[in-house]
């Protein structure tokens, strides 16, 4: 992260810090050259830092495809754009967008971690 050149680097750092501070069971590692949040040993939410004008958080259930039978996740935040039955993305456009969505995003990450832990 120290070498990251991105116009929203301060916002990326703020989102990372807020998520890590929200739950001590969430850890972080690098996946796809970006921060990835880990719960119960699996990557669950991973940053996508390209293209440079935005950043995204990819919500997934780990590196390997898992059976989606019976998997449901209710997005009460309205932030998720579903890419598959168990994979979604949140897009953050700029500093104003991050400020408006950060609290809901942190709660969403926590809920996702719990829902995908099994």
């Amino acid at each position: 992260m120290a070498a990251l050149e991105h116009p929203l680097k301060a916002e990326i750092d703020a989102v990372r810090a807020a998520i890590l501070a929200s739950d001590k069971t969430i850890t972080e590692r690098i996946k796809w050259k970006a921060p990835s949040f880990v719960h119960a040993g699996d990557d669950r939410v991973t940053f996508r830092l390209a293209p440079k004008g935005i950043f995204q958080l990819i919500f997934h259930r780990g590196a390997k495809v898992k059976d989606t039978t019976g998997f449901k996740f209710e997005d009460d935040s309205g932030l998720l754009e579903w890419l598959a039955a168990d994979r979604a993305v949140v897009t953050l456009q700029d500093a104003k967008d991050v400020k408006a969505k950060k609290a809901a995003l942190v709660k969403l990450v926590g809920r996702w971690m719990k829902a995908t832990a099994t």
Side-chain angles (χ1 to χ4, degrees), residues 40-66:
D42 279 327
D43 294 284
R44 302 289 182 197
V45 178
T46 304
F47 275 87
R48 180 173 178 260
L49 302 176
K52 294 285 185 187
I54 63 168
F55 68 95
Q56 296 176 313
L57 279 86
I58 310 298
F59 288 66
H60 54 92
R61 294 175 57 204
K64 296 182 181 180
V65 175
K66 293 182 175 61

Side-chain angles (χ1 to χ4, degrees), residues 61-110:
R61 294 175 57 204
K64 296 182 181 180
V65 175
K66 293 182 175 61
D67 184 4
T68 59
T69 303
F71 178 78
K72 283 189 174 186
F73 184 82
E74 297 295 326
D75 174 22
D76 60 356
S77 72
L79 296 176
L80 292 175
E81 176 187 338
W82 291 97
L83 306 173
D86 64 347
R87 183 179 173 92
V89 63
V90 172
T91 301
L92 298 154
Q93 302 286 338
D94 54 30
K96 183 179 177 181
D97 197 28
V98 170
K99 185 176 180 181
K101 294 177 180 174
K102 186 167 70 171
L105 179 60
V106 169
K107 285 182 185 178
L108 183 63
V109 168

Side-chain angles (χ1 to χ4, degrees), residues 16-38:
R16 285 178 60 231
I19 291 170
L20 290 170
S22 72
D23 184 339
K24 299 297 180 204
T25 66
I26 298 173
T27 59
E28 181 184 48
R29 63 181 167 204
I30 300 300
K31 179 178 180 166
W32 305 323
K33 298 183 181 181
S36 185
F37 299 107
V38 178

